[in-house]
Amino acid sequence: MDILISISRMRLLPCLSVLLLSVAFPSLVHGQTPVDSRRIADAVEHEMKKLLKDPQICSASVGIYLNGQSYTGHFGELKHGTGRPPTDSSLYEIASVTKTMVSFLVAEAVSSGRLSLDDDIRKFLPAPFPTLTFDGNPILIRHLLTHTAGLPPHLPLAYNGVFETLLPDVPERFRTLEDRYGKEDFWKDLRELELTSPPGEHYAYSSAGMEILAYILEQVSGKPLDLQLQEFVFGPAGMEAARLFCAPSDSSRVVQGYWMDNSTLSPHQTAPLWGGGYGVVASLPDMLRYAIWQVDRHDPVLARSHEVLFHDGRTRWVAYGWNAWKDKYGTSFNHHGGTAGMQNWVFIYPDLHLGLVILTNHSGPDTPALLSRATRRIMRRITDR
C-alpha cells in the first residue's frame, strides 16, 4: 500500500500555493539513482511559476514519479479571484486520456482470448453495417485502437469543427449537442458513413472509434464499461476516486474550468454514449497512481498494451491507444486530453522509471503546448538530459 508522507511545504509565491507529497515505497529498483526530492521540488516550483504567468492559466496540478518516489503539487487558484487552489480531492475531466484505459481493457480481452486484434468489428455490432469496409477490407479491432479505421473524429458529425471555431460559446454549443445525442443516434449515423480508403493505411484520430470499442468490450464481457474500468484499471492502479462521468447530477467535486479567455466557467462535459472516448474523471493522486502503474508494468497485460501496433514510416507510432515515441529518454508513451474547460497530459517513461502528469482547468488551442513545454523543462532539470 502506498504511504503518503508530507516531506516539504514550498515557499508560497504570488497566486501559487503548493503542497509537495512523497509516496514512499519499500525499496528502489536495483540500479536506480536515488531521488533528490529538493531538486524535483525546485524544478516543479520554477516551471509552474513560469506557467502561471500566462494570464489564461489560473491553476495547474502536477504529479511526478521517479525511481520509486512520487511528488504532487497544486498551484494557483481554481476560480479567478478566490485564491483557492486545487487539492488532492479535486476531480478533473481527463477527457481523451480515457482512451488509454479503454485500450488497456482491449489488451486484457485479447490476453484472455475474448478478442483478437484481427477481429472484424461488425461481428460484434447490433446490426449489419455493410459500409464499414472498403474494397472488401473491413475495420478490425487493431484499426480502432490505432485510429486507422477511417472514421471521423466524432459522431454526430456536428461535433466536428466546434472546438476549431475558437468562439466564446464553444462550451455551451458542445454541451447542447451532447444533451441531444444518444446511442441510437450514434448507430444511425454510423450506418450512413462510407469509408474513403482501406482501414489501416492512414492515421485519423477518432473518438467515435473508441466508443465502438467500448460497446464491443461490453458485448464480449457482459459488463458495463464502468465496472470493467473498476475491475481492471481503477482497482489495480489504486485510483480511488476515478469513475465514468455520465450526468450533470454526478458533478460533485468535479472541477470546472475556463475556455480560452472566457470569464465564466464552462459547463461540465459528460459522456452521453458508452464513455470510451472521453468519459473518466479522476484526481491528481489517481492519475499519478495510473502513471506509476504504467511505468512499473508488473502486469503482463500492461506490457502488451505498450506494444506498437501502427507506424506510418515517419514519426507516428501508436500502441494500444497510446502515442509512442523514441528519443534520448528511451521509448516513451504519452496522451493528451482536453474538454471545453480542462487539459491534461500523461507521459510514461518506463526506461527511466519516470511518469509525469499535468492538469489544468483551462482549455484553448495553445494550452497543450504550454503544458507539454513545462513538463519537458521539468524533465530536463530532473534527469540531466
Side-chain angles (χ1 to χ4, degrees), residues 224-251:
L225 186 66
D226 58 344
L227 293 184
Q228 294 182 64
L229 287 169
Q230 184 60 52
E231 179 179 356
F232 294 110
V233 180
F234 302 156
M239 302 170 70
E240 297 176 354
R243 65 179 190 272
L244 277 182
F245 182 47
C246 300
S249 59
D250 192 32
S251 61

Side-chain angles (χ1 to χ4, degrees), residues 114-371:
R114 289 180 286 116
L115 276 179
S116 166
L117 291 177
D118 296 317
D119 279 335
D120 183 336
I121 68 168
R122 293 175 298 174
K123 66 187 282 190
F124 305 104
L125 302 186
F129 285 83
T131 61
L132 297 184
T133 183
F134 186 90
D135 287 345
N137 298 299
I139 297 175
L140 308 179
I141 295 295
R142 69 170 64 245
H143 300 146
L144 297 181
L145 280 171
T146 56
H147 302 284
T148 57
L151 298 174
H154 298 284
L155 288 178
L157 294 176
Y159 279 1
N160 300 289
V162 170
F163 282 97
E164 288 77 2
T165 67
L166 304 181
L167 295 173
D169 66 347
V170 161
E172 289 74 21
R173 289 173 61 193
F174 202 88
R175 177 59 181 274
T176 298
L177 287 168
E178 282 187 327
D179 289 344
R180 294 175 179 174
Y181 202 68
K183 295 175 180 178
E184 290 305 315
D185 301 306
F186 181 88
W187 296 128
K188 178 179 180 296
D189 288 345
L190 189 64
R191 280 192 291 271
E192 296 175 358
L193 286 180
E194 291 191 10
L195 302 186
T196 59
S197 63
E201 287 196 354
H202 306 291
Y203 179 90
Y205 188 78
S206 177
S207 287
M210 283 292 171
E211 292 293 350
I212 296 172
L213 269 182
Y215 171 82
I216 291 173
L217 286 165
E218 292 192 350
Q219 302 313 298
V220 300
S221 72
K223 298 178 182 179
L225 186 66
D226 58 344
L227 293 184
Q228 294 182 64
L229 287 169
Q230 184 60 52
E231 179 179 356
F232 294 110
V233 180
F234 302 156
M239 302 170 70
E240 297 176 354
R243 65 179 190 272
L244 277 182
F245 182 47
C246 300
S249 59
D250 192 32
S251 61
S252 175
R253 290 175 53 195
V254 181
V255 171
Q256 286 182 273
Y258 296 92
W259 168 250
M260 297 190 63
D261 57 359
N262 284 359
S263 60
T264 57
L265 292 165
S266 300
H268 289 121
Q269 189 166 308
T270 59
L273 300 173
W274 294 270
Y278 56 87
V280 169
V281 294
S283 66
L284 176 64
D286 283 337
M287 294 309 298
L288 186 55
R289 291 184 179 111
Y290 182 61
I292 293 169
W293 188 54
Q294 294 285 333
V295 168
D296 285 347
R297 294 199 293 195
H298 296 311
D299 186 334
V301 181
L302 274 171
R304 177 189 290 274
S305 73
H306 290 174
E307 293 176 1
V308 173
L309 302 178
F310 175 77
H311 178 220
D312 67 358
R314 298 182 297 278
T315 59
R316 175 72 65 182
W317 302 72
V318 188
Y320 279 67
W322 289 99
N323 299 305
W325 190 249
K326 295 181 180 181
D327 59 13
K328 63 183 179 180
Y329 299 108
T331 299
S332 62
F333 306 88
N334 68 80
H335 211 290
H336 167 263
T339 67
M342 306 285 160
Q343 299 256 353
N344 73 99
W345 277 101
V346 178
F347 296 92
I348 306 298
Y349 295 86
D351 296 340
L352 297 181
H353 307 283
L354 186 152
L356 199 152
V357 179
I358 185 167
L359 309 101
T360 183
N361 68 329
H362 179 265
S363 186
D366 299 328
T367 313
L370 287 170
L371 300 184

